[in-house]
């Protein structure tokens, strides 16, 4: 009798628990997504230098649409150099403005992705994976055309969309504490 109740409870819990993605996120997928984000940032910068702001904006739109989860809902994006009252960029328009500037609704944005970045490296402190969600925390090092390196503390959280592609749902970035 007791065994039947446990089995029945397990079946009921399975029926009411939302299913995770068929394939859990792997660490290799997370590392590939981070590498792709870095490569895209450098490419946006290079595109701006070679072809101008309109081409860089078009590329940034494509990157945002493929890497972030704005089509799924608000993304919890706190960019490195964003200030109040526009500290958080929960919309695609806010993210785009942060990366390439030019949006009068965000007058303080000059375009972080347009800073002549030539290199971007991830240095994870840890990667935490739980089924169809993964979080990372660590340092990201950006190198500009003059060899200057800017390091930020960065946290990302990823989920898989219905097609099995990783999407950024949390992106928090801040300058290192200088004490």
């Amino acid at each position: 009798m007791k065994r039947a109740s446990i089995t029945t409870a397990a079946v009921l819990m399975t029926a009411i628990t939302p299913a995770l993605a068929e394939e859990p996120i792997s660490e290799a997928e997370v590392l590939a997504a981070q590498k792709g984000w870095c490569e895209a940032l450098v490419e946006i910068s290079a595109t701006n230098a070679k072809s101008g702001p309109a081409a860089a904006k078009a590329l940034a739109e494509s990157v945002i649409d493929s890497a972030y989860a704005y089509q799924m809902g608000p993304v919890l994006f706190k960019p490195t150099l964003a200030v109040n009252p526009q500290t958080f960029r929960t919309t695609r328009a806010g993210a785009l403005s942060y990366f390439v500037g030019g949006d009068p609704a965000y007058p303080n944005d000059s375009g972080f992705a347009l800073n002549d970045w030539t290199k971007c490296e991830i240095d994870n402190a840890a990667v935490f994976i739980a089924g169809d969600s993964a979080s990372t925390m660590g340092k990201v090092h950006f190198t500009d055309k003059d060899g200057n390196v800017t390091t930020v503390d960065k946290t990302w959280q990823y989920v898989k969309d219905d097609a099995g592609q990783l999407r950024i749902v949390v992106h928090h970035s801040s300058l290192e504490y200088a004490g």
Side-chain angles (χ1 to χ4, degrees):
M1 177 84 172
K2 195 172 196 179
R3 184 177 194 100
S5 320
I6 292 170
T7 304
T8 303
V11 169
L12 288 172
M13 287 302 291
T14 302
I16 61 172
T17 303
L20 296 177
E22 287 185 29
E23 294 288 324
I25 294 175
S26 70
E27 186 167 350
E29 287 176 300
V30 172
L31 299 177
Q34 289 180 314
K35 181 179 179 192
W37 186 93
C38 271
E39 289 171 351
L41 181 79
V42 170
E43 184 61 27
I44 293 166
S45 231
T47 298
N48 182 61
K50 182 179 177 184
S51 304
K57 180 179 180 182
L59 178 56
E61 287 175 317
S62 176
V63 168
I64 290 168
D65 291 344
S66 65
Y68 289 83
Y70 287 107
Q71 66 277 39
M72 297 167 70
V75 171
L76 308 178
F77 180 21
K78 190 282 177 192
T80 311
L81 302 174
V83 297
N84 199 28
Q86 298 173 323
T87 304
F88 304 105
R89 304 304 175 90
T90 59
T91 66
R92 180 184 183 273
L96 181 62
S97 181
Y98 182 75
F99 284 117
V100 297
D103 185 335
Y106 299 89
N108 294 321
D109 289 349
S110 58
F112 179 78
L114 308 181
N115 287 338
D116 295 321
W117 304 119
T118 60
K119 190 175 182 183
C120 175
E121 299 174 288
I122 307 286
D123 182 13
N124 287 318
V127 176
F128 177 83
I129 299 172
D132 67 345
S133 176
S135 301
T136 67
M137 181 181 288
K139 306 285 186 186
V140 178
H141 311 281
F142 303 99
T143 305
D144 69 17
K145 68 178 181 174
D146 298 322
N148 300 310
V149 177
T150 300
T151 298
V152 299
D153 296 333
K154 191 164 299 280
T155 300
W156 276 305
Q157 183 176 16
Y158 301 90
V159 297
K160 281 192 174 183
D161 65 13
D162 290 341
Q165 180 180 337
L166 291 192
R167 298 284 184 168
I168 299 168
V169 293
V170 174
H171 176 165
H172 181 278
S173 185
S174 58
L175 292 172
E176 293 182 300
Y177 178 67

